[in-house]
Amino acid sequence: MGIAILFLVFAVLLAIGVPVAFALAAAALATLFYLDLPPVVLVQQLAAGTGSASLIAIPLFVFAGELMLRGGISERLIALAASLVGRLRGGLGQVSILSSLFFGGVSGSAIADVSAVGGTMIPQMVKRGYDRDFAVNVSITAALVALLVPPSHNLILYSAAAGGGLSIADLFAAGIVPALLMTVVLMLTGYLVARRRGYGVEPFPGMRALLLRLVSALPGLGLVALIFVGIRAGIFTAVESAAIAVVYALAVTGLLYRQLRGAEFIAAVTHAARTSGAILFVIAAAAAFGWLLAYLQVPAATVQALQSVADDKAAVLLLIVVSLLLLGTFMDLAPLILICTPIFLPVAKAYGIDPIHFGLVLVLAGGLGLVTPPVGSVLFIGAAIGKIGIGQALRTIWPFWLAGLAVLLVVAFFPQLSLWLPALLKS
Amino acid sequence: MSDATTPTAPASSLQGAMDRLSRIVVGLAAAALLGLVLVQGWQVIARYVLNDSPSWTEPVTVLLLSTTMSLGAAAGVHERRHFSFALLAEALSPGLRHAMHLLAQLAVVLIGAVLAWWGTVLFADGLGIRAAGAALPQSANYLPMAVGGALMALFAAVQLAGEFRGDGGAH
Amino acid sequence: ARGAAQAGGARVLTATDVHVSDYPTVAAVRWIGETLQRETGGALGIRLYHSGQLGRESEAIDMARFGAIDITRVYSGALNNAFPLTRALCLPYAFDSVAHMRRAMDEGVGDAVLRGFEQRGLVGLAIYDSGARCFYNTRRPIVEPHDLHGLKIRVPVSDIFIRMLRDFGANPTPLSLGEVFSGMETHMIDGAENNIRSFHSSRHFEAAHYWSRSEHSYAPDVLLVSRRSFDALSPRERGLLVETARESVKVMRGLWDESESKALQAVREHGVEFNDVDLAAFRAAARPLLDEYRRDAAIDALYRRIRELA
Ligand code: NA
Ligand code: NA
């Protein structure tokens, strides 16, 4: 009954136009009342939802992206990228995907990735004539790569939730091949969609122009290098790198390019605050909603239902994937991992599924939920940066989402793909 | 998500006051965001240059993040910036749609009020306990939540009142 | 609470723990639930949410106080500021060994600390000791406090731990637990401190190869029940809960010792290097911090009692 109230109130409020965050909070509140639990839990969980360190990357990277956009860094970076890959249809989409792989190599989080890469790429793609929905969709699905390529704090979380028996080094190694596969499949999808939409190609501007663009983009490339080297060398964390990015972008745009004046600075910081407020609030509300899902033991009920219909390994794996996709629709990734690992992993093990392999499946399946409504933080961030409605983004996300799903199924049903590299590294 | 308010009727003085209040609120959220940059940046500098990690940065970061979120989200109510779908509303007759819209606004008022009330309770509850690492009350990050909730309720109530009279905003 | 509390007429208490299902504290609470169920003929039981499913420890305390959950197991370090008496349990070198710690908890100190929870809407049920906390790092064996100089050591956000590390000469670096592994791999931090079981289950031994037996703190875990939930029980049920929780300490200790030796063996097999430290030097370095906290009369009284039992 509690579960029915939670979902029903949410669905009805959403349908009559209550914003997602408020619908989540109101559904949680109604369910708390029904369960005779104090409403104070709602406020506690809203606060807890933003108490985690990795979320700080959102406002900071959104801010850095605004500065880069208004101060001329992005423009020069993209001009360089366009002259390099301009002959490829949808070339900037490919740049966005490759940047995600690159940034994912330093950040463990899809949220940080879409804030950082999407914050730069989406506005510039729009400026260069790409449709907003394409720019948003290619960037948000690309952010899933960050979940798989090491370091991945979600895999660390999985190891902890599994009780510590799983080597983090093995999990990291297992993520590499799926991450590359995801990159290639998304690039192919981006190319096909761009060709269907007839995005133009840009002529090669010539060596001289290319060099000029390279020189002019160097300070921008310096930012990328600074973040990559800084995190890899352990000088700062991924979260701190977001603050470093802001300071660096301020220095380059204000002092070197002299393109950022007081008015643009104010516009950048206020716009970033507005966007971040909306994004963070919906993530916080999702945490309160997720608390009730956990309290009502929804994942456990799901796995029970699943066990009653499946009998062999492949069927169990498929049903786990389906349940995770469903749960991922409503839950954010970190709580999903914490709550589902202790429930799903023993089932998977009982059917002979390797726990390292299962971790990749769990993170990827849960990760796909980050780009689907009604609770999808990566989708919300992308849509906010691209200034389009969720509905508009959703109408055309399916080729990318299906590409991600295909990768998930391949990763799920070909365990060698993830287990090959860890085994190789051990021997 | 739609752009900032474009009232159909000439802005009433109440509407003007709300616009000004919303701008102030956004300004505070932006100031907290700048504070986040400073605190996180300082954390790196202190760790390497001074070889000393300040312990106050974590609680202060959480407080600033809560401020950016709560106040940014409150201004988002006034500016109608929050993510929504409104699947059903699009398919209804104008009269029903208006009723739904009022109901939706009411839900926002309610959540804002709950945040304001229980946020205040939680803030007051932990006021006498010092947070680990910083000279802040343990419950400091509930303060922006309570304020943000009150502002959400206020902005949504003013919109609701305006729409009830039918003088604007019904988009 | 209706959803959890009234499953088919029986009263079900909700309990939370951030540790995984087979962790000794989780197993001990599960044992309490089974015992209650048996003793009451199924009228009273426990529903256990392990692995942090209902949130972090800092939130769990307030959730219990406001009656959203009934029972919670939290680390005493997280309670220091709200419940001053718990500080006595976290102070460096207050205890000499696990045996000393257990003796003190059984002979009055534990009860005194547990009574302190009543001032803020909680009832203390049990204190679960969780081994000696030691330093581990990626650089070198730590023998004297001097060896910590310049090392960035992750500490939980706790005033005692931050001050202690600073007094030892290290650079205490607050970092969320999830970032510690990557932090050590990239050498952003040099190490951390914890008990051997957590060193194993967090897989931090994959990155840090030096374990130094500094045994600087025995900060235990505490099992609490919400005052509201407790008062809602019948007098008989209250007595049964308190009694069962008390007995669960033995269960927990048995499981702890077993799992600790397993963890020790596992990290040893992985090639982690162990070393003893100059305990006298560490005790001396912790002196000023001890003296400062002992200026509080209540803490000093508890501390003296602890030392009497050494
Ligand atoms: Na990554
Ligand atoms: Na989703």
Side-chain angles (χ1 to χ4, degrees):
Chain A
M1 188 61 195
I3 299 175
I5 291 175
L6 186 67
F7 283 103
L8 213 66
V9 172
F10 177 61
V12 168
L13 291 183
L14 205 60
I16 68 168
V18 175
V20 181
F22 293 88
L24 287 166
L29 188 64
T31 314
L32 288 172
F33 267 115
Y34 169 74
L35 295 172
D36 200 17
L37 292 174
V40 71
V41 176
L42 173 66
V43 183
Q44 272 183 337
Q45 290 306 314
L46 282 169
T50 50
S52 99
S54 64
L55 290 187
I56 307 159
I58 298 175
L60 292 180
F61 273 127
V62 168
F63 184 23
E66 284 286 325
L67 290 172
M68 290 166 73
L69 176 69
R70 291 167 202 262
I73 294 182
S74 319
E75 197 182 305
R76 290 173 173 86
L77 279 177
I78 305 297
L80 175 66
S83 45
L84 287 170
V85 298
R87 280 164 298 175
L88 196 67
R89 277 189 205 278
L92 288 187
Q94 317 291 344
V95 173
S96 188
I97 296 165
L98 277 178
S99 308
S100 277
L101 176 65
F102 193 65
F103 188 80
V106 292
S107 112
S109 133
I111 282 176
D113 189 292
V114 74
S115 307
V117 178
T120 314
M121 292 299 300
I122 295 172
Q124 286 297 327
M125 287 168 78
V126 170
K127 212 166 162 184
R128 293 195 164 248
Y130 289 76
D131 295 313
R132 284 178 187 274
D133 57 323
F134 176 83
V136 167
N137 287 330
V138 83
S139 303
I140 64 177
T141 41
L144 300 181
V145 174
L147 300 173
L148 302 173
V149 64
S152 163
H153 68 216
N154 291 295
L155 286 172
I156 295 180
L157 204 59
Y158 169 70
S159 166
L166 305 174
S167 159
I168 291 172
D170 284 355
L171 281 166
F172 278 7
I176 293 175
V177 175
L180 295 176
L181 179 69
M182 179 70 105
T183 308
V184 171
V185 170
L186 285 178
M187 286 180 82
L188 189 68
T189 312
Y191 173 78
L192 292 174
V193 172
R195 208 176 64 172
R196 250 197 63 191
R197 292 197 177 193
Y199 289 144
V201 291
E202 297 188 27
F204 185 66
M207 251 352 242
R208 209 183 118 76
L210 178 67
L211 277 176
L212 277 175
R213 286 179 186 184
L214 176 66
V215 171
S216 143
L218 272 180
L221 291 173
L223 173 58
V224 180
L226 179 70
I227 290 184
F228 192 83
V229 174
I231 299 177
R232 275 286 163 186
I235 297 169
F236 34 71
T237 63
V239 168
E240 288 165 346
S241 83
I244 303 292
V246 169
V247 174
Y248 185 93
L250 267 175
V252 170
T253 56
L255 303 176
L256 189 65
Y257 291 164
R258 291 171 186 270
Q259 237 170 294
L260 190 84
R261 298 275 166 243
E264 282 105 41
F265 171 76
I266 299 287
V269 65
T270 50
H271 192 266
R274 286 187 168 104
T275 307
S276 308
I279 295 167
L280 291 170
F281 194 54
V282 75
I283 291 176
F289 191 89
W291 189 88
L292 277 154
L293 285 181
Y295 188 88
L296 295 166
Q297 300 182 302
V298 175
T302 312
V303 85
Q304 241 166 22
L306 172 166
Q307 274 182 298
S308 63
V309 285
D311 44 6
D312 71 323
K313 183 173 166 176
V316 165
L317 195 54
L318 185 68
L319 281 166
I320 288 181
V321 166
V322 171
S323 330
L324 287 172
L325 286 171
L326 284 175
L327 290 167
T329 304
F330 292 97
M331 296 172 79
D332 240 328
L333 188 53
L336 183 90
I337 292 170
L338 282 179
I339 294 164
C340 289
T341 302
I343 299 164
F344 285 53
L345 182 59
V347 180
K349 272 183 180 163
Y351 283 89
I353 298 165
D354 186 281
I356 298 279
H357 168 225
F358 184 73
L360 270 295
V361 175
L362 175 74
V363 168
L364 191 47
L368 272 176
L370 292 173
V371 300
T372 60
V375 182
S377 37
V378 169
L379 169 69
F380 293 147
I381 296 169
I385 293 169
K387 301 187 176 74
I388 56 173
I390 307 291
Q392 201 184 340
L394 283 179
R395 271 192 281 278
T396 52
I397 198 177
W398 59 270
F400 296 99
W401 192 82
L402 286 179
L405 182 67
V407 173
L408 167 62
L409 291 176
V410 169
V411 169
F413 290 99
F414 296 91
Q416 312 86 298
L417 215 61
S418 28
L419 297 177
W420 167 76
L421 197 56
L424 186 78
L425 289 176
K426 261 191 202 153
S427 62
Chain B
M1 222 173 53
S2 62
D3 275 323
T5 45
T6 42
T8 49
S12 65
S13 63
L14 181 61
Q15 184 63 41
M18 289 300 116
D19 288 346
R20 276 195 300 281
L21 181 59
S22 170
R23 273 198 298 275
I24 293 170
V25 169
V26 168
L28 290 171
L33 179 51
L34 287 174
L36 275 176
V37 177
L38 292 178
V39 171
Q40 290 292 311
W42 175 249
Q43 197 166 283
V44 178
I45 292 170
R47 189 164 61 237
Y48 290 95
V49 183
L50 313 177
N51 196 31
D52 178 39
S53 302
S55 57
W56 54 266
T57 49
E58 205 223 90
V60 172
T61 295
V62 171
L63 175 63
L64 291 171
L65 190 68
S66 169
T67 305
T68 302
M69 174 186 84
S70 306
L71 299 187
V77 170
H78 179 70
E79 298 174 352
R80 301 174 199 275
R81 213 173 250 284
H82 285 284
F83 309 105
S84 62
F85 297 96
L87 305 171
L88 184 65
E90 284 172 14
L92 295 173
S93 68
L96 261 176
R97 199 188 312 163
H98 189 61
M100 295 279 171
H101 190 67
L102 295 181
L103 210 62
Q105 294 281 36
L106 205 59
V108 176
V109 176
L110 173 75
I111 293 300
V114 166
L115 270 181
W117 176 257
W118 287 103
T120 308
V121 168
L122 283 165
F123 176 61
D125 177 63
L127 207 51
I129 298 166
R130 194 176 158 281
L136 278 174
Q138 200 174 44
S139 58
N141 60 332
Y142 289 117
L143 179 62
M145 261 188 167
V147 174
L151 287 165
M152 285 174 196
L154 174 68
F155 286 137
V158 169
Q159 281 171 357
L160 187 65
E163 282 161 26
F164 204 69
R165 292 195 309 270
D167 68 351
H171 47 268
Chain C
R2 187 184 307 169
Q6 310 281 313
R11 176 179 286 276
V12 178
L13 301 171
T14 50
T16 71
D17 197 314
V18 296
H19 289 307
V20 293
S21 181
D22 64 346
Y23 196 86
T25 56
V26 179
V29 173
R30 192 175 289 122
W31 180 86
I32 297 177
E34 286 160 4
T35 309
L36 289 178
Q37 206 150 31
R38 199 174 51 240
E39 295 290 319
T40 60
L44 187 62
I46 286 180
R47 175 184 296 166
L48 192 51
Y49 295 91
H50 54 78
S51 311
Q53 297 180 47
L54 292 190
R56 291 166 298 195
E57 293 187 339
S58 49
E59 296 136 24
I61 300 163
D62 281 337
M63 282 195 286
R65 290 183 48 235
F66 285 97
I69 55 174
D70 302 310
I71 295 173
T72 187
R73 196 281 319 153
V74 287
Y75 167 59
S76 57
L79 300 163
N80 286 168
N81 286 8
F83 304 95
L85 287 183
T86 60
R87 293 171 198 166
L89 306 184
C90 299
L91 287 174
Y93 299 105
F95 303 100
D96 295 342
S97 62
V98 170
H100 175 207
M101 164 94 204
R102 290 179 177 174
R103 197 159 53 237
M105 290 309 105
D106 294 344
E107 292 182 27
V109 176
D111 283 340
V113 173
L114 289 177
R115 272 196 301 276
F117 288 102
E118 293 184 14
Q119 50 170 358
R120 274 177 73 76
L122 294 165
V123 176
L125 286 177
I127 293 182
Y128 294 147
D129 47 282
S130 53
R133 295 176 80 96
C134 298
F135 291 114
Y136 54 90
N137 79 98
T138 59
R139 297 286 183 105
R140 54 181 178 246
I142 308 294
V143 180
E144 287 180 69
H146 182 79
D147 296 323
L148 282 165
H149 278 232
L151 292 192
K152 290 187 266 297
I153 303 290
R154 184 265 174 181
V155 286
V157 183
S158 138
D159 291 322
I160 291 180
F161 278 75
I162 292 166
R163 168 78 195 276
M164 176 175 66
L165 267 283
R166 209 158 264 157
D167 286 0
F168 287 168
N171 175 356
T173 309
L175 201 65
S176 71
L177 200 57
E179 279 184 299
V180 174
F181 187 87
S182 306
M184 289 194 300
E185 279 216 316
T186 60
H187 296 292
M188 194 193 90
I189 55 168
D190 301 296
E193 56 80 52
N194 215 321
N195 60 54
I196 190 89
R197 204 192 178 289
S198 296
F199 180 54
H200 175 242
S201 64
S202 64
R203 308 294 295 183
H204 289 172
F205 66 89
E206 284 186 56
H209 300 297
Y210 298 99
W211 175 273
S212 309
R213 296 189 196 92
S214 53
E215 302 179 352
H216 52 267
S217 176
Y218 285 77
D221 290 327
V222 182
L223 188 69
L224 303 164
V225 59
S226 163
R227 171 102 247 168
R228 293 183 195 198
S229 321
F230 190 72
D231 289 345
L233 297 174
S234 72
R236 186 186 164 257
E237 288 172 328
R238 264 178 254 164
L240 188 63
L241 177 61
V242 169
E243 192 50 43
T244 315
R246 198 173 292 262
E247 280 167 34
S248 77
V249 172
K250 277 185 233 111
V251 177
M252 190 275 170
R253 285 176 185 172
L255 292 168
W256 181 269
D257 293 343
E258 199 179 302
S259 73
E260 197 174 43
S261 59
K262 268 191 205 147
L264 188 64
Q265 196 186 344
V267 298
R268 218 187 267 280
E269 276 166 14
H270 195 264
V272 171
E273 209 176 287
F274 288 74
N275 72 278
D276 289 322
V277 308
D278 181 350
L279 281 173
F282 271 97
R283 282 206 180 92
R287 199 81 237 169
L289 167 63
L290 261 177
D291 291 346
E292 191 184 307
Y293 274 87
R294 284 179 60 194
R295 265 187 254 149
D296 180 314
I299 293 175
D300 186 49
L302 265 183
Y303 180 81
R304 282 166 191 277
R305 178 80 188 122
I306 291 171
R307 293 312 305 169
E308 275 166 23
L309 292 162

